[in-house]
Amino acid sequence: MAANDDIILSEEEIDVVMFDSDTELSKSAGTSRKSRVSYADDSDSDFQGSSSKRTPAPSKRGGRGRGRGRGRGATTASTRKNVDANGEELPEPPKARRGRPPKPKPVDEDGNPIEKPKATRGRKKAVVKEFSDHEDDFDDGVYGKPAKRTGKGKARQTTFDEIVMPAKEPMFDPVQLRELAERHPDTYWRELATDTDPDPSAGLTGRIDFIDEDHPLELLSHSITDQMALTGMSLSPDGTLLATFGSTGHVHIWDTDTFECLTTLRDRSEANIDEFFVGQFTPNSEYLIVGGKLKDRKRWSEADEDNHIMPCPLKIFNVLTGDVVSRLEGHSEEILCVKSVVYKGENYYVTTSQDGYIRRWHMDSDWVVLLDSKEVTDGVTCMAFTVSFLPNTGNRYFMASTDDHVTLMDLETCLIVQRFDPIYSSYCDCGKFVELVEEPLYQARKPVIAEDEEEGATSSSRVVVSSLPEPAGPFAYFVTRGVELLDAEDNTVSSRPNTCTLHRLVYPTEPDGTFELQEIRRYYHDDYLSNSWLIRLASNGRYILAPTLNGQVFVFSIATGQVASVLRDHDTIEVRDCKFHPTKNLLFTCSDDGTVKAYRSIARPKCLDASVEADVEMECATTVAASENERALTSEFDSPQTATDSHFNGLKEGVESLAVRDLDSVVSDPPAAAAVSVAVAEEGTKQDP
């Protein structure tokens, strides 16, 4: 091939030399147009030496190149072709793929490719179905083989409404709960009062039922004292043991019969400072789980003006040996409540904390070994205080006092079922379910608005009712107490009076229905001041024990709302907790003064009417005068003993005659008759010593 003939350059021959800077272009300006060279024998030539010594093949084509560094005479991509030595055009080589090499397509045994079914849009993939030869057996296009399109446009897409999701189990099912409650009945009823009157001759047997003028509370001489502020108490299931918790990290266990301290529990291996607030005995009273605050002994907190708070564990003590047999880690701040519960035959602890979390601890059969734990998180709760399980639900649901409201939660799923409206302006720190002995009187704080059921009634036609309507389903009574915001002027007086509140929680009758929390009435008094943290209520179904911050305990009648009694034996120091004994005629209160006060209910004889008392006095005076005259006449013949006997006989005759006239008011009432007999005997003693 001649040197002057036109040469068609290949792709490899064009990109021989590339100039990467303007400096090199300026130095080789004279030879830049000849940078792309080709030798006459294209197939056998090799590049030898530098490009300046090569003999370029002249080209008759002119024009600018395609890019930087490509001088005059370079051909464009549209004119270049790959040819062999004979000038015949060669096929283009395959382009290289980036990334991973393609996966081989699946084939069957015969080597035929297998086509995978394509997934439809939505949350479920297409379902491959077997199709028959009949057109009626084909799918409609939602799943499986798509139906044929009749016109142009995109293929039909599956909508969210057309996707059939698996059936979701309802969170609250009344039918399932009834079956669960029958198989696993709850034990909340152990805290209820009985309908029977206490027997005065029984002494300390039989729990407290009535607290009023006829059955006052008497302070026992046996008192439980300690050198620390007592923040909580717990009774064993059989009521024989009483545990007290305080600020020094000690747990004292007392005998409820003799009020003697049986043992003291303390974690001697703890290097930091323990403070215990709450505790709970296991069902067999072998172990005691306690919780509270753990403070760093070597670190001070300016914000709390106390030692720095560390993550607070639960500690399980062996009551007999006093050793800590287990520690449950999980809460970052103070533990404010602990409950032990059996659900579907499994043992659980439920705890609340100031860190805002409620945690469920799944325990082994011995209540010591932890199996797993889970917390209820909602991202809203700031502080969680107490929990109380719903009656007749098999211990599945519980109500938690959280912040300024109460929240209904599911123990099985650790999810929030429903959150109710705020009850107090600051926070609600105590709530518990009770079964009332007497039906309470409704007291509306606001007019209750009800829909008019007449035909043609509109939303504007409403009537005001003075009582709550009948509940639509099962219900339970729930008592709460809380704290109000302080007055903005001096921050010492609450913005509104402190109260305790009685609610009625109505259960839904349909699956996943809505609970309704209805306010029945509020209990308050001018001297009831309880705007303090960590105060707990107690109730026996007839009364509410409401401690205060100034050392008093108010006893409110649940039915009427009246104050039945006020206990003032803790001076002016804050009362933290109170307990009704489950089987004995005992009531306990504990305070920051380091003492536990024990009370019992006594039965006083009923007083007679005023008219009856006047008749008794007049008859007694007449009888005494007659007996004096008779004694004066017979003093010469009778001995002193005979005169005294005649005097008593006269008194007896007078009282008997009065009893005949007013049989219903005296004889029918044995305590009244006993009182009259005592009065007559005292009168006789005064006259004849």
Side-chain angles (χ1 to χ4, degrees):
M1 185 177 296
N4 294 331
D5 295 339
D6 293 338
I7 300 174
I8 299 176
L9 302 178
S10 63
E11 190 72 15
E12 290 79 2
E13 293 172 338
I14 293 175
D15 297 326
V16 173
V17 179
M18 293 293 295
F19 295 94
D20 295 332
S21 64
D22 296 337
T23 305
E24 293 178 355
L25 286 174
S26 61
K27 291 181 180 179
S28 58
T31 60
S32 61
R33 297 184 181 89
K34 302 178 181 180
S35 59
R36 291 171 177 81
V37 298
S38 177
Y39 294 94
D41 192 357
D42 189 48
S43 60
D44 298 331
S45 63
D46 293 327
F47 295 104
Q48 300 175 359
S50 62
S51 60
S52 60
K53 296 181 181 180
R54 294 172 182 170
T55 304
S59 176
K60 295 181 181 180
R61 297 181 181 180
R64 298 183 62 87
R66 290 183 300 162
R68 184 177 180 182
R70 302 179 187 272
R72 186 183 301 275
T75 58
T76 60
S78 61
T79 60
R80 288 182 281 109
K81 295 181 180 180
N82 294 332
V83 295
D84 57 4
N86 299 327
E88 297 180 358
E89 185 176 354
L90 298 175
E92 295 183 0
K95 296 182 179 180
R97 290 175 56 91
R98 291 187 177 183
R100 297 179 180 178
K103 296 181 179 180
K105 295 183 178 180
V107 295
D108 55 10
E109 296 178 356
D110 299 335
N112 300 324
I114 299 176
E115 295 183 0
K116 297 176 61 177
K118 296 183 179 180
T120 59
R121 292 178 180 267
R123 303 181 71 177
K124 295 186 69 176
K125 292 186 178 181
V127 179
V128 181
K129 296 182 179 180
E130 297 292 337
F131 297 97
S132 64
D133 297 335
H134 303 282
E135 187 69 22
D136 296 339
D137 296 337
F138 284 4
D139 196 270
D140 60 353
V142 179
Y143 300 109
K145 185 176 180 179
K148 294 182 179 180
R149 287 181 290 168
T150 57
K152 296 182 179 181
K154 296 183 178 180
R156 180 178 178 273
Q157 303 295 333
T158 304
T159 62
F160 182 78
D161 296 334
E162 295 174 340
I163 299 175
V164 180
M165 301 298 295
K168 176 185 175 183
E169 182 181 356
M171 186 172 293
F172 184 88
D173 190 347
V175 178
Q176 293 182 0
L177 280 184
R178 283 195 295 269
E179 298 176 355
L180 180 64
E182 292 176 358
R183 294 195 307 267
H184 307 284
D186 49 44
T187 57
Y188 79 101
W189 51 269
R190 290 185 177 178
E191 297 183 0
L192 301 182
T194 59
D195 294 328
T196 59
D197 293 337
D199 185 5
S201 62
L204 293 179
T205 61
R207 59 172 302 151
I208 294 178
D209 189 10
F210 292 96
I211 303 174
D212 49 28
E213 294 181 356
D214 297 330
H215 305 86
L217 292 177
E218 179 186 26
L219 178 65
L220 300 180
S221 58
H222 305 282
S223 61
I224 301 173
T225 60
D226 206 327
Q227 297 179 352
M228 60 180 177
L230 299 179
T231 55
M233 298 180 296
S234 179
L235 284 166
S236 60
D238 58 359
T240 59
L241 303 177
L242 175 68
T244 57
F245 316 104
S247 58
T248 61
H250 293 80
V251 179
H252 298 291
I253 298 180
W254 310 80
D255 189 339
T256 57
D257 290 332
T258 62
F259 303 101
E260 296 180 356
C261 183
L262 301 179
T263 184
T264 300
L265 307 179
R266 182 182 181 183
D267 186 5
R268 303 187 182 279
S269 63
E270 181 61 62
N272 295 294
I273 304 173
D274 262 328
E275 290 186 10
F276 296 136
F277 296 160
V278 292
Q280 183 88 35
F281 282 94
T282 56
N284 58 1
S285 301
E286 183 179 359
Y287 301 100
L288 178 68
I289 179 171
V290 297
K293 182 192 299 186
L294 183 63
K295 299 185 295 185
D296 193 339
R297 189 178 297 274
K298 300 180 180 179
R299 184 179 176 186
W300 182 260
S301 174
E302 294 292 342
D304 299 333
E305 296 182 354
D306 197 356
N307 293 72
H308 179 74
I309 299 177
M310 303 177 64
C312 303
L314 288 163
K315 298 184 178 181
I316 303 178
F317 287 91
N318 187 312
V319 176
L320 296 178
T321 63
D323 299 330
V324 177
V325 296
S326 180
R327 291 169 60 102
L328 306 181
E329 306 281 351
H331 286 295
S332 60
E333 295 187 37
E334 297 98 315
I335 297 174
L336 305 181
C337 178
V338 55
K339 292 287 185 181
S340 60
V341 64
V342 178
Y343 174 64
K344 291 184 178 180
E346 299 292 330
N347 300 333
Y348 295 93
Y349 291 124
V350 180
T351 57
T352 64
S353 173
Q354 196 170 351
D355 58 11
Y357 293 106
I358 299 175
R359 183 173 287 272
R360 181 196 71 184
W361 312 83
H362 187 192
M363 308 301 294
D364 202 357
S365 59
D366 58 356
W367 293 92
V368 174
V369 179
L370 176 65
L371 301 180
D372 64 78
S373 65
K374 188 176 182 180
E375 64 184 15
V376 182
T377 57
D378 57 357
V380 177
T381 302
C382 178
M383 289 188 294
F385 296 98
T386 61
V387 297
S388 183
F389 283 84
L390 270 67
N392 303 319
T393 60
N395 289 332
R396 175 170 179 177
Y397 300 96
F398 62 89
M399 190 81 81
S401 301
T402 55
D403 295 338
D404 57 353
H405 55 272
V406 291
T407 306
L408 182 62
M409 299 185 178
D410 188 349
L411 177 68
E412 182 174 330
T413 62
C414 288
L415 296 176
I416 294 177
V417 178
Q418 189 173 338
R419 195 189 307 273
F420 298 94
D421 295 334
I423 305 174
Y424 305 98
S425 60
S426 183
Y427 54 82
C428 174
D429 63 350
C430 185
K432 64 188 314 178
F433 284 97
V434 295
E435 184 176 355
L436 304 187
V437 179
E438 301 175 354
E439 191 68 21
L441 300 177
Y442 174 70
Q443 182 185 35
R445 299 182 65 200
K446 300 179 182 179
V448 180
I449 307 299
E451 294 286 350
D452 196 348
E453 298 180 354
E454 296 180 0
E455 296 183 358
T458 61
S459 59
S460 60
S461 61
R462 299 191 173 197
V463 294
V464 179
V465 296
S466 59
S467 61
L468 282 177
E470 291 295 328
F475 64 91
Y477 288 105
F478 187 66
V479 180
T480 62
R481 65 138 262 143
V483 173
E484 307 292 351
L485 293 176
L486 296 178
D487 193 351
E489 295 182 0
D490 52 4
N491 289 331
T492 57
V493 181
S494 59
S495 57
R496 54 185 181 182
N498 296 122
T499 60
C500 300
T501 310
L502 176 65
H503 310 269
R504 186 173 67 181
L505 181 68
V506 182
Y507 299 4
T509 57
E510 299 294 334
D512 279 345
T514 303
F515 287 82
E516 185 179 2
L517 189 65
Q518 303 169 345
E519 181 176 319
I520 303 300
R521 69 176 305 129
R522 296 214 174 193
Y523 306 90
Y524 61 92
H525 189 270
D526 293 339
D527 296 332
Y528 175 61
L529 304 176
S530 65
N531 222 57
S532 182
W533 177 74
L534 205 62
I535 291 180
R536 302 176 186 88
L537 299 176
S539 176
N540 65 345
R542 196 184 300 275
Y543 302 98
I544 298 176
L545 299 181
T548 64
L549 56 83
N550 56 1
Q552 302 181 11
V553 179
F554 278 77
V555 182
F556 292 105
S557 172
I558 297 180
T560 63
Q562 300 296 323
V563 177
S565 178
V566 181
L567 307 178
R568 299 183 175 89
D569 297 301
H570 286 286
D571 296 333
T572 58
I573 308 300
E574 184 173 3
V575 182
R576 294 290 187 178
D577 199 0
C578 49
K579 296 286 184 184
F580 280 103
H581 196 281
T583 58
K584 299 178 182 179
N585 183 11
L586 289 174
L587 184 154
F588 300 99
T589 61
C590 72
S591 170
D592 285 348
D593 61 2
T595 63
V596 174
K597 304 297 182 181
Y599 301 87
R600 69 174 180 179
S601 177
I602 60 175
R604 284 181 178 175
K606 296 182 179 180
C607 297
L608 302 177
D609 295 337
S611 59
V612 177
E613 291 181 355
D615 293 342
V616 169
E617 292 179 359
M618 184 178 298
E619 190 70 23
C620 289
T622 304
T623 305
V624 168
S627 62
E628 288 290 341
N629 294 332
E630 183 180 359
R631 185 176 59 177
L633 294 175
T634 59
S635 59
E636 299 179 358
F637 306 99
D638 296 338
S639 62
Q641 181 66 31
T642 305
T644 305
D645 294 340
S646 62
H647 173 67
F648 278 108
N649 292 333
L651 289 177
K652 183 177 180 181
E653 292 175 357
V655 173
E656 289 178 352
S657 63
L658 179 62
V660 171
R661 294 203 314 265
D662 199 351
L663 183 63
D664 295 335
S665 60
V666 179
V667 177
S668 61
D669 194 348
V676 173
S677 300
V678 172
V680 171
E682 292 178 354
E683 186 67 22
T685 304
K686 293 179 181 179
Q687 297 295 333
D688 297 298

